C-alpha cells in the first residue's frame, strides 16, 4: 500500500464565471521513505499540489489517499488531525512566530497536541541540538540568520515525529552556503527514514531526489 496516492486529481479555482484549471489528470504514488521532488516553472501549481498532498487544500475532483484512507472525503477536523500527527511542513518564508524564542517555536506544535510542558521542552531542546542550534534556544527569530531560522523551522516540523515532511522551496530565500546546509539536513532526515516531498524550481536540488515529477501546462509527468 502506498503512503501517498493521488489518482486523476484535478484542481480548479473559480472567480465568478471564470474558471482556472491548475492541473488535471494528475496521478502519483509515493512509498514510505521515498524522496520525491516536484518541479515546474513559477506559477505552474507546484505549491497548490503540495498543499493538497499536505491536507491544507482539497482536490476539485479525483481521489487522494494517505495510508489507504480516502483523504478527499474527510471532514476538516480529520484533515487537521492527519496534519498534526503525520506531517511536518517547511516553507520558504520560515513562518516562525516573532514573539516566540527558537525553543518556543519548536515547542508550539507539541503544545497544540497536548504534550506536557516539561516533555515538550526537553524534546524541543533535543531537536534544536539535532539541527545545531541548542545555543540559540533563547533567541528570537529577529536575532537569527535566515539559515538559522530555517533550521528552527525544520526542528519545529519534526516536533511531532512526522512520517512525511513537505518542503516548499526550503532554500529559495537563502544564500548558497545556508541553502546547501538546509539541503543536507533534509537529505539526512530522509536517509533516517522520513519521507520527503520537495517542491522546488532548482533543478540541481530536484535532481537529488529518487524520483522527479514535473508540473507543466496543467499536467503532472514523471521524468
Amino acid at each position: 500500500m502506498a503512503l501517498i496516492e493521488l489518482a486523476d486529481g484535478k484542481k480548479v479555482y473559480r472567480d465568478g464565471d471564470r474558471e482556472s484549471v491548475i492541473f488535471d489528470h494528475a496521478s502519483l504514488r509515493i512509498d514510505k521513505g521515498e524522496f520525491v521532488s516536484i518541479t515546474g516553472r513559477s506559477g505552474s501549481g507546484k505549491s497548490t499540489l503540495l498543499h493538497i498532498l499536505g491536507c491544507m487544500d482539497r482536490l476539485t475532483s479525483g481521489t487522494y489517499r494517505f495510508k489507504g484512507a480516502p483523504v478527499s472525503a474527510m471532514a476538516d477536523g480529520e484533515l487537521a488531525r492527519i496534519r498534526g500527527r503525520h506531517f511536518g511542513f517547511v516553507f520558504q518564508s520560515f513562518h516562525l512566530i516573532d514573539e516566540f524564542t527558537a525553543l518556543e517555536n519548536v515547542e508550539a506544535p507539541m503544545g497544540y497536541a497536548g504534550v506536557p510542558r516539561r516533555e515538550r521542552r526537553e524534546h524541543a531542546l533535543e531537536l534544536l541540538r539535532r539541527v545545531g542550534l541548542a545555543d540559540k534556544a533563547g533567541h528570537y527569530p529577529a536575532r537569527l540568520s535566515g539559515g538559522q531560522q530555517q533550521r528552527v523551522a525544520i526542528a519545529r516540523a519534526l516536533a511531532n515525529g512526522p512520517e512525511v515532511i513537505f518542503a516548499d522551496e526550503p532554500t529559495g530565500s537563502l544564500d548558497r552556503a545556508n541553502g546547501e546546509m538546509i539541503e543536507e539536513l533534509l537529505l539526512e532526515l530522509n536517509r533516517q527514514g522520513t519521507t520527503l516531498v520537495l517542491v522546488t524550481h532548482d533543478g540541481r536540488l530536484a535532481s537529488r531526489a529518487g524520483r522527479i515529477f514535473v508540473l507543466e501546462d496543467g499536467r503532472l509527468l514523471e521524468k
Side-chain angles (χ1 to χ4, degrees):
M1 180 178 65
L3 186 66
I4 288 171
E5 189 168 14
L6 181 71
D8 203 24
K10 181 177 183 178
K11 182 62 178 179
V12 175
Y13 287 125
R14 294 184 175 88
D15 182 7
D17 293 333
R18 297 180 60 188
E19 183 177 278
S20 177
V21 178
I22 308 303
F23 56 78
D24 197 3
H25 302 296
S27 297
L28 61 74
R29 175 189 173 107
I30 300 173
D31 292 325
K32 183 176 175 59
E34 278 200 275
F35 172 17
V36 170
S37 66
I38 301 170
T39 69
R41 292 175 296 178
S42 179
S44 62
K46 304 185 301 296
S47 293
T48 298
L49 177 57
L50 191 79
H51 289 172
I52 288 169
L53 297 179
C55 296
M56 294 186 288
D57 198 355
R58 293 179 181 271
L59 291 169
T60 303
S61 64
T63 59
Y64 173 35
R65 293 179 179 272
F66 177 70
K67 300 178 77 169
V71 173
S72 308
M74 290 182 181
D76 290 346
E78 292 176 289
L79 296 182
R81 282 191 289 275
I82 287 179
R83 289 195 303 269
R85 293 175 183 173
H86 301 284
F87 299 160
F89 299 92
V90 182
F91 302 100
Q92 179 176 344
S93 55
F94 318 139
H95 293 312
L96 299 180
I97 300 171
D98 292 337
E99 296 78 17
F100 284 11
T101 64
L103 182 65
E104 290 166 341
N105 268 282
V106 178
E107 282 187 85
M110 292 182 278
Y112 301 143
V115 177
R117 180 179 176 81
R118 182 174 178 178
E119 183 180 338
R120 67 178 186 251
R121 177 140 297 197
E122 290 175 353
H123 187 46
L125 278 170
E126 177 55 36
L127 289 171
L128 286 173
R129 290 190 194 98
R130 188 173 177 183
V131 299
L133 289 177
D135 60 331
K136 307 293 184 184
H139 288 203
Y140 291 91
R143 293 187 59 197
L144 302 174
S145 69
Q148 289 170 336
Q149 289 187 59
Q150 192 61 295
R151 281 189 279 162
V152 172
I154 290 172
R156 181 185 58 190
L158 295 172
N160 288 328
E163 294 178 68
V164 186
I165 287 183
F166 293 103
D168 192 351
E169 302 285 8
T171 63
S173 61
L174 303 177
D175 60 34
R176 183 180 180 87
N178 279 304
E180 289 178 351
M181 184 186 305
I182 296 304
E183 180 181 328
E184 290 303 323
L185 180 55
L186 290 171
L187 288 169
E188 179 59 27
L189 293 172
N190 177 245
R191 286 191 288 269
Q192 293 171 1
T194 303
T195 304
L196 178 59
V197 182
L198 170 72
V199 157
T200 183
H201 64 268
D202 182 341
R204 185 196 61 79
L205 176 55
S207 69
R208 302 194 70 177
R211 290 193 295 143
I212 304 171
F213 288 86
V214 180
L215 191 56
E216 186 174 27
D217 297 327
R219 293 290 185 267
L220 183 67
L221 304 171
E222 185 170 2
K223 289 183 68 175

